[in-house]
């Protein structure tokens, strides 16, 4: 046990101290943080003055109502839109557009709205601006034009409406996620979170599985392994390496989770400060999901690391490793393929069966848990199958490892590898 | 007591027999030479002693005990294929390998300092292995093999890749350790080293033992049948097929193997008659090299 611990410690420290670990650990939260900060900077800067727009109304009689409908205000209280002029039914539409375009280029105008002649028949209005995609601007604009057109259509059909906004207000659909813990308003966050976490699981399983393979191959190619097994049993060495890399993975998870928690708290506070009256997005993220994330990471990691370790023990060059790892990597990828099926209906027979298969369980069962808690026996069964398969594979890997690490040169065939099992 | 006992040990890889029914005894405190041509099964034998490989048949005992974790801790090993973690620092890797053999980290650091000092590597303690020259790496690896003060030290080709100066230092350490009671196994095909250092040998060929025993006794059994001659002039006087079985020219010296019953005096007389200037004329036991070649070709025949 003491020797096992020494190997675990060495493996862990050797990896955590590398630049690659620091970069990969720090870059993900930093990137997220960077995007958050950037988004806020952009959100604050994107409009600090009223937008000077002109309305070119080719249909006639709509320019005024639209201008009146643009009541949106900037955070500092000034109006978002400042309609500098409204041109109705010009004689030469093209010529006026040319002028507006010139003013836009010179900066005397920020944008102009073109209401076409056939707008009442359903032709689209056009918004010409240097930055037309900004939702903060296009949403109120669309609302104003729609209201003006509807009002016109109604009055054309002889209907008089006093409070049009009230009449045409659409109905929101609030989505509520029902769980055993209660109800939480669903705004797509469960779906997103489940997918995001399952993706993290997928990436980490792949990354750390391959890291284990490399680590074993490195010991082989530097010829370090012979001195090591003159001091420690091969099974202990193998176990130590797998556990050491698992520790690195857990460390990375811990850093990410803490960062995410800190960012979440910060983001929540920021959101409340910006929009005090908006109902906060409740992320339904019980602690149990976090525990399952760790459990399934470890379960999946041990399964895949064992497979990758076997590959590392068999081959003796990086090129052979690239080729031999494919069947294993394919298994991980295959767990990613039925994502859609599980997301669509986490409790369909297909989802249940797929999430019980040991090679897919780490990702798919976790995805189901994150979406909606499956019956406990399904979780237990998938974990039991996962553990049993892993134990079987570890025995196999241990014997292959013992022989393989001292074999150099040509990549052995699978038949030869199975023959190795008889050696010890 | 015997440091190593091998009883009927065999090891096969697929259809290849690496070691076949090998019996071997190495007494404690010996400096033992394991000899054999390339591919004879030397490394496989050493690996089975070290429990790196498990024999298919037969038993291995170390200091009277069957192989165990404890027995493994008593042994130190310098493998023929050298290599250390390239990105680990010298002191760290020494500490790690000593700890694997049961030495506390503090004690390992203390001993490592002394060894690095002695092998003139003190300034490199905090450098990574990858930054060291090949010779330095080899010295670090040697330290790793002896840091835990093994009772049995197994060295596979310890001198390859070392310059004469460093080879000398390593040789002195080996003899010093032997003085302190350590049993040493030296596997090599460099005969002159074995001849000068070892007290007993075992010669294996194609996985089988061909010859073993005390070196002096082996040589004695061949008798003084070899002449070592240093001369200036025409070497034609050695063309004596009725007296000489074979000659082996080393440039400055020639070694002559006599036929049984041949009188060396005859050869000296002929040389003097022909005016060859003799500066050395010595009757010796056969060099190990000759015994080796003879035994291996006998086994092949």
């Amino acid at each position: 046990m003491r020797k096992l611990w020494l190997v675990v410690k060495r493996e862990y420290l050797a990896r955590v101290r590398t630049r690659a670990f620091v970069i990969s650990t720090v870059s993900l939260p930093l990137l997220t943080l960077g995007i958050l900060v950037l988004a806020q900077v952009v959100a604050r800067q994107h409009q600090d003055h009223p937008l000077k727009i002109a309305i070119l109304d080719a249909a006639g009689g709509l320019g005024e109502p639209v201008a009146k409908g643009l009541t949106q205000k900037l955070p500092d209280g000034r109006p978002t839109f400042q309609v500098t002029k409204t041109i109705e039914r010009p004689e030469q539409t093209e010529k006026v557009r040319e002028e507006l375009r010139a003013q836009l280029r010179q900066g005397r105008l920020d944008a102009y709205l073109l209401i076409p002649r056939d707008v009442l028949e359903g032709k689209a209005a056009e918004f010409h601006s240097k930055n037309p995609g900004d939702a903060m601007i296009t949403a109120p604009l669309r609302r104003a034009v729609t209201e003006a057109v509807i009002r016109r259509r109604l009055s054309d059909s002889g209907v008089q409406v006093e409070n049009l906004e009230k009449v045409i207000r659409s109905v929101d659909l609030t989505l509520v996620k029902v769980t055993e813990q209660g109800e939480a308003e669903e705004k797509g966050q469960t779906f997103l979170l489940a997918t995001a976490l399952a993706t993290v699981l997928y990436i980490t399983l792949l990354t750390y599985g391959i890291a284990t393979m490399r680590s074993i191959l490195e010991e082989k190619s530097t010829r370090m392994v012979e001195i090591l097994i003159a001091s420690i049993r091969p099974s202990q060495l193998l176990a130590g390496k797998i556990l050491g890399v698992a520790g690195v993975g857990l460390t990375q998870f811990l850093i990410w989770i803490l960062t995410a928690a800190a960012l979440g708290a910060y983001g929540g506070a920021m959101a409340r400060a910006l929009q005090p009256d908006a109902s906060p997005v409740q992320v339904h993220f019980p602690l149990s999901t976090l525990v399952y994330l760790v459990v399934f990471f470890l379960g999946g990691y041990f399964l895949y690391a064992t497979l990758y370790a076997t590959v590392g023990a068999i081959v003796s060059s990086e090129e052979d490793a690239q080729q031999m790892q494919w069947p294993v990597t394919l298994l991980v990828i295959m767990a990613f393929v039925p994502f859609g099926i599980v997301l669509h209906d986490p409790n369909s027979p297909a989802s249940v069966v797929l999430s019980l298969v040991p090679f897919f369980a780490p990702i798919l069962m976790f995805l189901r848990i994150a979406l909606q808690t499956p019956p406990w026996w399904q979780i237990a069964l998938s974990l039991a199958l996962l553990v049993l398969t892993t134990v079987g594979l570890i025995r196999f890997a241990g014997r292959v490892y013992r022989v393989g690490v001292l074999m150099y040169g040509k990549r052995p065939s699978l038949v030869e590898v199975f023959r190795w099992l008889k050696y010890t | 007591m015997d440091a190593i006992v091998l009883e009927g040990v065999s090891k096969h890889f697929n259809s290849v027999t690496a070691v076949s029914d090998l019996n071997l005894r190495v007494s404690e405190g010996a400096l033992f030479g394991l000899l054999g041509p390339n591919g004879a099964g030397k490394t496989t034998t050493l690996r089975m002693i070290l429990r790196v490989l498990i024999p298919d048949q037969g038993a291995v005992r170390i200091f009277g005990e069957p192989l165990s974790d404890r027995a493994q801790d008593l042994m130190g090993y310098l493998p023929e294929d050298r290599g250390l973690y390239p990105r680990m620092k010298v002191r760290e890797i020494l500490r790690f390998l000593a700890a694997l053999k049961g030495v506390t980290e503090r004690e390992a650091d203390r001993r490592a300092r002394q060894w690095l000092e002695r092998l003139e590597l003190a300034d490199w303690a905090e450098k990574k292995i990858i930054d060291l020259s090949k010779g330095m790496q080899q010295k670090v690896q040697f330290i790793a093999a002896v840091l835990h003060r093994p009772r049995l030290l197994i060295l596979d080709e310890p001198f390859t890749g070392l310059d004469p100066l460093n080879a000398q230092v390593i040789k002195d350490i080996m003899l010093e350790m032997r003085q302190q009671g350590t049993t040493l196994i030296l596997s090599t095909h460099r005969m002159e080293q074995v001849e000068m250092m070892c007290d007993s040998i075992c010669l294996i060929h194609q996985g089988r033992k061909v010859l073993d025993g005390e070196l002096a006794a082996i040589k004695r059994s061949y008798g003084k049948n070899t002449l070592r001659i240093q001369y200036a002039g025409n070497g034609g006087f050695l063309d004596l097929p009725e007296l000489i079985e074979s000659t082996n020219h080393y440039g400055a010296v020639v070694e002559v193997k006599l036929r049984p019953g041949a009188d060396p005096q005859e050869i000296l007389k002929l040389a003097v008659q022909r005016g060859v200037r003799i500066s050395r004329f010595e009757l010796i036991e056969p060099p190990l090299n000759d015994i080796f070649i003879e035994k291996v070709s006998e086994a092949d025949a």
Side-chain angles (χ1 to χ4, degrees):
Chain A
M1 276 316 276
R2 197 184 50 80
K3 290 185 177 183
L4 176 71
W5 169 242
L6 285 167
V7 173
V8 173
K9 195 171 89 177
R10 195 214 72 86
E11 189 72 31
Y12 178 82
L13 290 177
R15 296 199 159 265
V16 170
R17 281 188 200 153
T18 58
R19 215 168 291 151
F21 175 79
V22 175
I23 290 171
S24 74
T25 308
V26 172
S27 62
L28 190 84
L30 263 190
L31 208 68
T32 321
L33 187 72
I35 290 169
L36 269 175
V37 169
L38 200 71
Q40 274 193 0
V41 169
V42 172
R44 285 201 177 160
Q45 277 192 343
H46 90 271
Q47 207 188 345
D48 53 359
H49 64 93
L51 199 73
K52 280 183 280 184
I53 69 163
I55 299 175
L56 173 53
D57 175 15
L62 286 169
E64 274 312 308
V66 170
K68 247 186 250 164
L70 293 171
T71 53
Q72 177 95 354
K73 287 210 165 53
L74 290 172
D76 60 6
R78 288 187 292 166
T80 305
F81 299 97
Q82 184 195 335
V83 180
T84 51
K85 57 181 161 186
T86 310
I87 306 152
E88 291 206 15
R89 307 189 72 148
E91 287 182 8
Q92 287 171 294
T93 312
E94 259 324 299
K95 205 174 146 214
V96 177
R97 286 184 64 170
E98 203 54 59
E99 279 167 25
L100 290 174
R101 221 173 279 148
Q103 287 175 12
L104 192 61
R105 271 198 298 271
Q106 289 157 12
R108 285 191 284 150
L109 208 56
D110 291 314
Y112 69 90
L113 177 71
L114 171 66
I115 303 171
R117 195 183 301 270
D118 306 329
V119 72
L120 292 177
E121 282 75 48
K123 192 139 190 272
E126 291 170 19
F127 182 61
H128 295 250
S129 146
K130 280 179 179 166
N131 179 21
D134 191 338
M136 295 287 279
I137 293 167
T138 51
L141 203 62
R142 180 177 291 125
R143 202 178 327 122
V145 176
T146 309
E147 271 181 29
V149 169
I150 289 175
R151 198 185 288 275
R152 178 57 137 339
R153 284 187 194 141
L154 287 174
S155 71
D156 282 359
S157 2
V159 184
Q160 287 298 321
V161 184
E162 285 295 312
N163 251 329
L164 188 71
E165 306 90 76
K166 266 191 182 168
V167 175
I168 64 167
R169 190 159 68 196
S170 62
V171 177
D172 275 340
L173 189 63
T174 304
L175 308 169
V176 180
K177 176 178 161 120
V178 181
T179 65
E180 278 155 25
Q181 281 79 30
E183 299 186 349
E185 197 176 320
E186 176 66 58
K187 289 184 175 169
Q189 73 273 26
T190 306
F191 191 82
L192 263 176
L193 193 71
T195 315
L197 288 178
T199 310
V200 167
L201 209 50
Y202 165 76
I203 293 171
T204 43
L205 283 184
L206 214 57
T207 315
Y208 286 103
I210 290 176
T212 313
M213 178 186 77
R214 287 249 160 92
S215 166
I216 284 165
L217 178 60
E218 193 206 2
E219 246 162 43
K220 227 181 133 169
S221 52
T222 58
R223 314 281 156 151
M224 185 69 203
V225 71
E226 196 174 347
I227 315 177
L228 292 175
I229 37 181
S231 300
I232 179 171
R233 292 162 185 245
S235 53
Q236 280 187 333
L237 178 59
L238 178 63
K241 296 192 76 70
I242 291 179
L243 287 172
V245 178
V248 180
L250 281 181
T251 307
Q252 202 163 48
F253 263 52
L254 195 70
I255 295 174
W256 285 346
I257 287 168
L258 289 179
T259 317
L263 280 181
Y266 169 79
M270 191 63 86
R272 272 190 294 285
L274 281 176
Q275 289 176 288
D277 36 319
S279 71
V281 178
Q282 290 178 313
V283 180
H284 186 74
F285 190 66
L287 197 64
S288 64
T289 309
L290 207 60
V291 174
Y292 278 123
L293 178 70
V294 172
V295 166
F296 278 99
F297 166 71
L298 285 178
Y301 166 75
F302 285 127
L303 179 79
Y304 279 107
T306 308
L307 285 175
Y308 277 114
T310 314
V311 174
I314 291 171
V315 300
S316 34
S317 73
E318 188 70 29
E319 297 84 66
D320 283 344
Q322 292 296 345
Q323 280 183 26
M324 286 284 279
Q325 71 166 43
W326 255 109
V328 184
T329 305
L330 210 63
L331 272 178
V332 190
I333 293 174
M334 270 163 66
F336 205 70
V337 173
F339 249 48
I341 300 173
V342 177
L343 285 175
H344 179 66
D345 183 358
N347 278 323
S348 69
S351 302
V352 173
V353 170
L354 282 169
S355 66
L356 290 178
V357 176
F359 295 100
F360 306 154
I363 292 173
L364 294 184
M365 185 51 92
F366 175 75
L367 186 61
R368 286 184 62 201
I369 291 171
L371 286 170
Q372 54 174 230
T373 316
W376 68 268
W377 65 266
Q378 289 184 5
I379 302 179
L381 182 62
S382 86
L383 277 175
L385 288 174
L386 181 61
V387 169
L388 279 178
T389 313
T390 308
V391 168
L393 279 171
I394 285 175
R395 294 205 169 167
F396 168 77
R399 308 179 87 174
V400 171
Y401 181 78
R402 153 139 237 158
V403 180
V405 285
L406 293 173
M407 296 274 180
Y408 293 100
K410 202 177 127 278
R411 178 161 60 90
S413 68
L414 272 182
V415 180
E416 280 173 278
V417 171
F418 278 105
R419 215 177 287 150
W420 290 358
L421 297 180
K422 291 186 293 187
Y423 283 0
T424 43
Chain B
M1 185 169 46
D2 287 323
I4 302 174
V5 177
L6 298 188
E7 274 170 1
V9 167
S10 300
K11 183 76 193 173
H12 311 270
F13 297 107
N14 292 341
S15 52
V16 181
T17 303
V19 173
S20 170
D21 194 27
L22 183 66
N23 293 297
L24 191 67
R25 267 166 204 281
V26 177
S27 46
E28 189 166 9
L31 208 171
F32 188 90
L34 184 64
L35 315 176
N38 295 326
K42 298 188 297 281
T43 299
T44 303
T45 305
L46 295 182
R47 283 176 173 177
M48 286 191 287
I49 294 169
L50 286 151
R51 206 172 65 157
V52 167
L53 287 174
I54 310 289
D56 296 336
Q57 281 118 41
V60 179
R61 284 208 301 282
I62 303 296
F63 298 110
E65 281 177 50
L67 275 178
S68 64
D69 290 355
R70 214 159 56 92
Q72 231 179 7
D73 284 352
L74 298 176
M75 295 186 270
Y77 182 33
L78 179 72
E80 185 182 9
D81 286 331
R82 318 264 202 269
L84 295 165
Y85 289 122
R87 280 168 216 296
M88 253 179 126
K89 289 178 185 165
V90 171
R91 195 177 44 78
E92 283 176 352
I93 205 161
L94 289 176
R95 181 199 280 174
F96 171 64
L97 289 172
L100 274 184
K101 293 285 192 186
V103 182
T104 63
E105 296 196 341
R106 268 188 66 184
E107 179 64 13
D109 279 353
R110 196 183 62 79
R111 292 187 202 170
R113 242 193 327 275
Q114 292 173 352
W115 276 109
L116 290 170
E117 198 78 47
R118 174 156 186 195
L119 290 174
E120 293 171 344
L121 286 169
D123 294 342
W124 298 83
E126 299 300 326
K127 294 273 190 314
K128 287 180 182 167
I129 294 293
I130 201 170
D131 297 326
L132 269 58
S133 74
K134 269 258 148 54
M136 291 186 206
Q137 289 185 23
Q138 199 161 330
K139 287 197 279 182
V140 173
Q141 192 141 23
F142 182 83
I143 297 176
V146 298
L147 205 58
H148 60 290
R149 295 185 183 144
R151 273 176 79 186
L152 173 61
L153 178 60
I154 295 176
L155 306 164
D156 202 347
E157 296 290 358
F159 302 110
T160 44
L162 287 179
D163 60 47
L165 223 63
N166 279 315
Q168 183 82 18
V169 174
I170 297 293
K171 190 205 75 192
D172 288 346
I173 293 171
M174 285 167 64
L175 295 177
E176 190 183 301
M177 289 183 71
R178 192 190 168 204
Q179 211 82 62
Q180 292 160 0
T182 311
T183 310
L184 287 103
I185 311 278
L186 178 63
S187 163
T188 181
H189 43 242
R190 305 250 325 254
M191 295 303 147
E192 69 285 359
Q193 276 159 6
V194 176
E195 200 152 18
M196 288 188 288
M197 294 179 74
C198 297
D199 39 43
S200 0
I201 60 153
C202 171
L203 173 61
I204 59 174
H205 181 48
Q206 292 179 344
R208 288 171 191 281
K209 184 166 77 181
V210 180
L211 178 73
D212 75 335
E214 265 183 67
L215 186 58
I218 291 170
K219 291 184 94 172
R220 218 169 19 244
S221 74
Y222 280 81
K224 294 199 169 183
N225 67 346
T226 304
L227 278 175
R228 189 175 281 154
I229 308 169
Q230 201 166 0
Y231 66 92
N234 193 332
F237 71 99
L238 290 173
D239 189 16
L240 294 166
E242 64 278 14
L243 295 176
I244 294 174
E245 192 176 309
S246 62
T247 54
N248 196 355
H249 291 269
Y250 288 95
V253 176
V254 62
E255 278 177 5
V256 174
K257 190 175 177 196
L258 300 170
R259 290 208 179 276
D263 184 1
Q265 209 65 26
E266 295 273 319
I267 299 172
L268 183 61
K269 208 161 72 189
L270 266 163
V272 173
Q273 277 169 9
R274 295 198 183 187
V276 175
R277 293 205 70 80
I278 302 284
S279 52
R280 181 170 168 193
F281 191 88
E282 188 184 7
L283 187 60
I284 56 169
E285 286 162 350
L288 192 55
N289 200 42
D290 290 5
I291 299 178
F292 178 93
I293 290 168
E294 185 185 314
K295 279 290 170 187
V296 167
S297 37
E298 238 174 59
D300 280 337

